[in-house]
Amino acid sequence: MTKGNKSFEKAIKLFFSLAASATIVGLLLIIVYITKEGTLLFGKVNVFDFLFGKEWKPSSARFGALPLIVGSLVVTAGAVILSAPLSIFVAIFLTEIAPKKVANYIKTAIELLAGIPSVIYGFMGIMVLVPMVRQVFGGSGLGIITASLVLSIMILPTITSLAEGALSSVPDRYRYGALALGSTKWEMIYHVVLPAAKRGIISAIILGVGRAIGETMAVLMVVGNVAKIPESLNQPVATMTSIIALDISYASGLHKYALFSLGFVLLLLSMCFIAIVRGVYKGSYERV
Amino acid sequence: MYELRKALNNIFLTLTWIASVSVILILLFIIAYITYKGAPVVNLKFITTWPQGYEAKGGIWPTIITTFYLTIFSAAIVTPIAVGGAIYLTEYSKPFSRFSRYVRFAADTLSSVPSIVYGIFGFAFFVIYLGFGWSMLSGSLTLALMILPLILRSTEEAILDVPYGYKEASYGLGATKWQTISRVVLRTAFPRILTGVILGMGRAFGETAAVMLTAGMALNIPISVFDGGRNMSSHLFLLATEGISLDAAFGTAFLLLVIILFFNVGAKRIARRVGK
């Protein structure tokens, strides 16, 4: 090998290592910037007043984010309660029951659902679900119920495909063992396969929660955006993401700082979810 | 007793059927509804003319240009970085080295960061701090960061699936590392890498929150990278929430959906062709 060749190989390696570092640099930039801009507010407003304050009124410099945090949590909880059972049933169907051809159709459908942009889900929500919810539950139709319904469909692909992965990694000998002991197919699924895949399914649900909390456009379009702690399910609320998206383009001063603080909270939450999922998985590797 | 167990079995197995069929029905309903309402609006004039007046009747030409600009530009920025990073992880670094674990952790975390957080980051960093303004550059850099983990991880998997014997044969013939990577590894993994890139472009194509805050909302045909513009999904958002010109909203939604489905089906086709 000539000398020029060797230094070329070295240059190539350097480029690849820099490219790999870009992922870390990108994440650090986001963390540093959001942290920097997101903590400016706390020079003027107490952290606890921000997190637990019940009044969000930027016009009179009130930055209590509790209504927004509660809004995000309620909408997310609704979405996960609706979506998790459905997703797990679909995952069971895909791994345990469906003929291969049928399974392929459903997998394709799930991938396509995952690819549909959130603004289209929001648009469908406005056009189809809002009038339906208005008729059934009264009120404006914008609010917790509608947002949870829209989100439940949006997080279905996430939970289903991860749960499917968890179920299909359960070894077949577990299944044969259960069937040989005389259990029905459902008993085998319920008593053997699901418990064996428990950790994977839990991580699937956690990542679904993460997606639901971070979802912006679809929620913004159907949630109503009223920053008040809700008293019933057909009330409009505002979420952290919807308020950021609505206000960031004109906010200034403390108001802008407060929006970045909300972004900071969202970033921390999404990092927590990843850490939890990694913890859950670490355990599962040790067990197998 | 046995009767009961059998009945329960049948009930639950039927429920899984119902759940799965309802997923397909939901997808078909979304496609059918948007097509039924949107397809009649879309014609050559809708695609090639500007929105007219306050009610945004007329076409959506500038938003189409902006959307393609952002999608292609962000893919052009991110592909060398993501593919290069994946090559480093699979071919150069040791499998469980600290560095490669950090990169994978960073990629996982990036992929779980909400799009609005990308939006305000891009706004604070690219738009304000670096002074790029609301522009194609700010928008594409933000989108590039957003789809980086997707392309990195799919490229990594594609390269890991290249049979080890191919590499051994290449080295055995006296090829250097770079020759082996460029002519054997990348060539074999190419279709699946392309699948990942196309899926990433699909995400960039439909993204709203991150683009609104970094490329702006002005109707414009961007030429230079410092020009701003409004993409199709932001346009749809504005039309849908302000309740102006529902026809144009449905038309935009239809075009958006068709192109996104095209991206996804195309990616799947490519992946399947490799499977054979």
Side-chain angles (χ1 to χ4, degrees):
Chain A
M1 191 155 45
T2 65
K3 207 172 167 202
N5 240 338
K6 221 173 193 170
S7 53
F8 176 70
E9 293 272 330
K10 264 194 181 148
I12 289 281
K13 184 180 174 183
L14 182 69
F15 169 74
F16 289 150
S17 66
L18 286 177
S21 320
T23 312
I24 300 178
V25 173
L27 178 64
L28 285 180
L29 268 179
I30 291 179
I31 294 176
V32 167
Y33 248 81
I34 297 292
T35 310
K36 193 187 124 218
E37 303 274 326
T39 47
L40 286 173
L41 179 75
F42 304 135
K44 298 267 165 51
V45 177
N46 188 315
V47 181
F48 293 99
D49 290 346
F50 172 71
L51 286 177
F52 302 110
K54 287 188 188 139
E55 255 191 308
W56 177 269
K57 277 189 191 138
S59 51
S60 42
R62 294 280 202 161
F63 299 106
L66 195 64
L68 312 178
I69 297 174
V70 170
S72 287
L73 292 181
V74 172
V75 167
T76 300
V80 173
I81 290 169
L82 291 170
S83 189
L86 183 64
S87 307
I88 293 170
F89 268 68
V90 177
I92 290 173
F93 181 76
L94 288 174
T95 55
E96 312 296 325
I97 296 159
K100 212 176 164 206
K101 212 171 180 184
V102 181
N104 276 338
Y105 281 124
I106 293 168
K107 279 185 196 168
T108 307
I110 289 168
E111 281 165 25
L112 294 180
L113 275 181
I116 294 178
S118 57
V119 68
I120 289 193
Y121 281 108
F123 186 48
M124 289 294 291
I126 292 181
M127 301 311 299
V128 179
L129 284 176
V130 168
M132 268 166 58
V133 170
R134 189 188 298 143
Q135 279 217 323
V136 178
F137 297 96
S140 66
L142 297 168
I144 300 171
I145 298 173
T146 318
S148 293
L149 282 170
V150 172
L151 272 179
S152 70
I153 297 166
M154 296 181 71
I155 63 175
L156 186 133
T158 310
I159 305 183
T160 305
S161 56
L162 292 166
E164 189 218 333
L167 290 175
S168 61
S169 67
V170 174
D172 271 341
R173 58 175 193 274
Y174 287 24
R175 297 185 177 88
Y176 297 144
L179 291 176
L181 288 170
S183 66
T184 63
K185 193 153 194 178
W186 176 253
E187 286 164 344
M188 168 203 93
I189 293 166
Y190 187 75
H191 292 292
V192 177
V193 179
L194 283 179
K198 197 171 69 191
R199 284 162 186 274
I201 292 175
I202 291 172
S203 347
I205 295 175
I206 294 172
L207 287 174
V209 171
R211 269 219 61 190
I213 282 195
E215 177 49 44
T216 311
M217 298 314 289
V219 173
L220 166 63
M221 290 163 86
V222 297
V223 83
N225 299 304
V226 177
K228 266 195 187 145
I229 295 179
E231 279 149 11
S232 76
L233 287 182
N234 63 355
Q235 277 181 358
V237 290
T239 65
M240 295 187 273
T241 52
S242 75
I243 285 293
I244 299 176
L246 268 186
D247 291 1
I248 192 81
S249 54
Y250 70 85
S252 61
L254 278 186
H255 187 191
K256 195 170 156 193
Y257 295 164
L259 297 177
F260 273 96
S261 301
L262 292 175
F264 182 53
V265 172
L266 285 169
L267 182 65
L268 284 182
L269 280 176
S270 66
M271 287 171 66
C272 281
F273 289 133
I274 284 295
I276 294 172
V277 166
R278 292 216 146 202
V280 171
Y281 260 108
K282 218 173 209 171
S284 77
Y285 287 139
E286 278 157 18
R287 236 191 66 201
V288 172
Chain B
M1 188 59 199
Y2 179 69
E3 293 299 315
L4 177 70
R5 287 173 53 205
K6 212 169 167 191
L8 277 179
N9 182 53
N10 289 339
I11 290 171
F12 280 105
L13 294 194
T14 314
L15 279 179
T16 67
W17 269 98
I18 295 172
S20 308
V21 171
S22 60
V23 169
I24 293 193
L25 290 181
I26 290 169
L27 175 72
L28 290 181
F29 176 71
I30 294 174
I31 296 175
Y33 183 80
I34 300 276
T35 307
Y36 175 69
K37 298 262 196 173
V41 181
V42 176
N43 51 34
L44 198 63
K45 200 172 154 230
F46 182 75
I47 294 174
T48 55
T49 58
W50 279 62
Q52 301 295 320
Y54 169 73
E55 292 191 1
K57 291 198 165 121
I60 56 165
W61 176 239
T63 69
I64 297 176
I65 298 294
T66 303
T67 310
F68 275 100
Y69 196 134
L70 287 166
T71 306
I72 293 168
F73 191 22
S74 60
I77 296 169
V78 78
T79 304
I81 295 172
V83 173
I87 293 173
Y88 188 81
L89 290 182
T90 49
E91 300 293 319
Y92 287 93
S93 79
K94 293 190 186 80
F96 292 102
S97 74
R98 180 164 290 183
F99 177 70
S100 64
R101 272 186 313 173
Y102 285 158
V103 173
R104 289 196 181 96
F105 179 73
D108 283 357
T109 312
L110 276 182
S111 66
S112 79
V113 171
S115 61
I116 187 72
V117 175
Y118 279 103
I120 57 173
F121 163 74
F123 177 67
F125 188 67
F126 297 123
V127 176
I128 309 274
Y129 181 73
L130 295 182
F132 296 158
W134 278 318
S135 63
M136 292 300 105
L137 186 60
S138 304
S140 301
L141 286 170
T142 310
L143 284 173
L145 202 52
M146 204 166 143
I147 60 177
L148 170 64
L150 197 160
I151 301 179
L152 180 87
R153 292 315 284 260
S154 63
T155 305
E156 213 189 326
E157 275 163 32
I159 292 177
L160 284 174
D161 269 3
V162 174
Y164 198 67
Y166 289 20
K167 280 184 244 172
E168 279 185 334
S170 168
Y171 286 127
L173 289 168
T176 64
K177 187 148 194 164
W178 168 241
Q179 285 166 338
T180 306
I181 290 171
S182 62
R183 292 183 204 168
V184 177
V185 177
L186 285 185
R187 191 159 293 178
T188 316
F190 178 73
R192 282 190 51 198
I193 296 175
L194 195 61
T195 305
V197 174
I198 293 174
L199 284 177
M201 287 172 80
R203 267 203 70 189
F205 200 90
E207 177 54 37
T208 316
V211 172
M212 263 167 49
L213 302 182
T214 53
M217 289 295 259
L219 279 170
N220 184 31
I221 292 184
I223 308 289
S224 128
V225 295
F226 292 108
D227 290 347
R230 180 196 298 175
N231 73 351
M232 286 163 73
S233 56
S234 307
H235 188 60
L236 170 57
F237 168 69
L238 279 185
L239 296 180
T241 48
E242 302 192 352
I244 44 177
S245 183
L246 271 184
D247 275 354
F250 274 113
T252 313
F254 175 67
L255 271 184
L256 201 54
L257 191 64
V258 166
I259 298 171
I260 294 275
L261 292 181
F262 192 73
F263 272 117
N264 279 275
V265 171
K268 232 184 145 129
R269 273 266 166 89
I270 291 169
R272 196 174 299 151
R273 186 172 300 171
V274 190
K276 279 179 186 164

